[in-house]
Amino acid sequence: MVEEKKVVDEVSGWLRVFDDGSVDRTWTGPPEVKFMTEPVPPHDQFIDGVATRDVTIDPGSNLRVRIYFPEEHQDPTSETKLPIILHFHGGGFCISQPDWFMYYQVYTRLVKSVRAIVVSVYLRLAPENKLPAAIDDGYAALLWLKSLAKGGSNEPWLNTHGDFNRVFLIGDSSGANIVHHVAARGGSIDLNPLRLAGAIPIHPGFVRSQRSKSELEQPESPFLTLDMADKFLALALPKGCTKDHPITCPMGSAAPQMEGLNFPPMLLCVSEKDLLKDTEMEYYEAMKNANKDVELFISPEMGHSFYLNKIAVDMDPVTGAKTSELIQGIKEFIDKH
């Protein structure tokens, strides 16, 4: 008789860890939300103005990316090159994929609004792959773009239409933590002929082991509860580390001094009612004090990752309007860099 596996850890709805180390990420929360976690297959033909394809960028590690390409730009004779946006998805380093519908619906929209090519990385997930695995993957994708820029390898959409002089990093939630760390790594080496033109951390998962005022006072949202944040980070951080680790607390005493780091211009996006607002603002102040070029984009009345919640974006006019404003703010930042 086969012994049944026992659940040793669980993050409500999202993930279960078993005693043999295996992980089940089947969505078990409200069924009406499940569509947001469904994968969207790649399509080389244009659907609503965007085509997508999945590309393996490192056969050795099987690291893949999803590329989003806007339709108006398929004319091969066009001289105008498009900015390239390297995207790191959220999910507390433990869940989600670039092909999930929740990202698809936002990043196809961004591609059309900004007129850019988005490259979204299939990051390795914890707890099977503890941090810094996801950051290493993000950095490997940046180095892949550098190899394309040098002509060392070729990806037709990017090599024909991409402007390697205008590469931006963008990330949602824990993906915004990856933006910070990949930008810092990229700033420490010669990326020529690629240029990192900007970085856009959206609602980063910056925390401390001690609860902030906003964590204690702000309402929990569908995409972030204190339980989710605590459990995901406990599963993701290296063994024995607390939330004061530099990956989750880059403004803390354990992290490298900001002054010594080389960053591109940054647009930090914060939600007024985010549980993590106070620690995100601490990061903003630390960047300002280190004389870094950082702008702040605040979404009033909104919670963590509100723009990914397709139901709220469609049904609630305020969430819909704030999502449009966020995309416009990102567009304006990219246009001027």
Side-chain angles (χ1 to χ4, degrees):
M1 189 175 136
V2 183
E3 272 193 45
E4 270 207 23
K5 297 194 289 189
K6 288 188 181 65
V7 174
V8 290
D9 226 327
E10 186 163 10
V11 185
S12 60
W14 294 105
L15 159 150
R16 286 144 305 287
V17 184
F18 296 96
D19 53 2
D20 65 353
S22 62
V23 180
D24 179 12
R25 294 183 173 84
T26 312
W27 173 250
T28 59
E32 63 274 15
V33 176
K34 189 178 191 309
F35 77 97
M36 288 197 276
T37 69
E38 297 284 1
V40 178
H43 48 87
D44 254 3
Q45 75 285 19
F46 292 96
I47 298 175
D48 293 333
V50 179
T52 61
R53 64 169 60 137
D54 289 342
V55 176
T56 299
I57 65 172
D58 181 353
S61 66
N62 207 26
L63 182 61
R64 296 183 304 142
V65 295
R66 167 152 294 194
I67 306 176
Y68 296 82
F69 183 63
E71 185 166 18
E72 305 80 74
H73 211 81
Q74 57 183 326
D75 176 6
T77 60
S78 172
E79 292 300 307
T80 319
K81 297 280 189 180
L82 301 179
I84 297 166
I85 305 173
L86 183 59
H87 170 245
F88 311 124
H89 66 75
F93 306 108
C94 292
I95 57 161
S96 88
Q97 298 286 343
D99 61 1
W100 276 17
F101 181 72
M102 74 166 72
Y103 297 110
Y104 180 85
Q105 52 99 16
V106 170
Y107 284 91
T108 47
R109 188 171 165 184
L110 190 73
V111 157
K112 290 187 284 190
S113 302
V114 176
R115 296 192 38 69
I117 303 171
V118 165
V119 177
S120 184
V121 187
Y122 284 88
L123 303 164
R124 279 175 294 168
L125 300 175
E128 303 96 322
N129 304 282
K130 294 263 190 195
L131 289 167
I135 295 167
D136 294 342
D137 290 346
Y139 184 57
L142 179 64
L143 295 182
W144 175 68
L145 290 178
K146 178 188 170 179
S147 81
L148 294 182
K150 288 178 81 162
S153 41
N154 181 59
E155 197 298 311
W157 282 349
L158 287 161
N159 284 92
T160 309
H161 301 287
D163 183 352
F164 292 96
N165 199 40
R166 294 180 67 214
V167 174
F168 295 83
L169 306 178
I170 195 168
D172 320 281
S173 191
S174 56
N177 298 49
I178 298 173
V179 166
H180 169 91
H181 293 284
V182 170
R185 282 195 201 178
S188 70
I189 66 159
D190 178 11
L191 285 170
N192 257 341
L194 178 148
R195 183 176 76 97
L196 213 44
I200 307 161
I202 309 176
H203 312 166
F206 296 149
V207 288
R208 291 183 179 276
S209 46
Q210 189 177 356
R211 291 259 190 257
S212 68
K213 195 163 172 284
S214 60
E215 280 182 295
L216 295 170
E217 292 178 1
Q218 290 296 350
E220 296 187 321
S221 79
F223 285 151
L224 188 67
T225 64
L226 292 176
D227 182 61
M228 277 167 68
D230 291 349
K231 285 186 172 170
F232 279 149
L233 296 180
L235 289 168
L237 284 165
K239 215 169 178 46
C241 292
T242 71
K243 288 193 242 175
D244 295 319
H245 189 284
I247 292 175
T248 41
C249 191
M251 63 287 182
S253 55
Q257 290 292 297
M258 299 274 197
E259 287 81 0
L261 301 176
N262 177 24
F263 290 108
M266 194 173 280
L267 177 69
L268 174 65
C269 303
V270 173
S271 271
E272 187 190 16
K273 293 195 181 310
D274 195 331
L275 294 174
L276 309 182
K277 184 187 82 172
D278 288 359
T279 29
E280 291 167 351
M281 290 305 295
E282 233 188 291
Y283 172 81
Y284 174 71
E285 293 304 334
M287 290 284 279
K288 280 302 231 194
N289 292 339
N291 292 314
K292 301 304 177 193
D293 179 354
V294 55
E295 286 178 59
L296 191 60
F297 184 95
I298 295 184
S299 298
E301 296 299 307
M302 292 290 109
H304 190 79
S305 296
F306 67 90
Y307 58 95
L308 291 175
N309 186 343
K310 176 75 170 146
I311 299 170
V313 171
D314 287 350
M315 306 296 284
D316 172 45
V318 179
T319 306
K322 296 297 176 209
T323 299
S324 297
E325 287 166 20
L326 176 62
I327 288 172
Q328 183 59 26
I330 293 167
K331 174 180 163 38
E332 287 171 11
F333 175 79
I334 290 174
D335 285 348
K336 71 180 178 198
H337 293 287

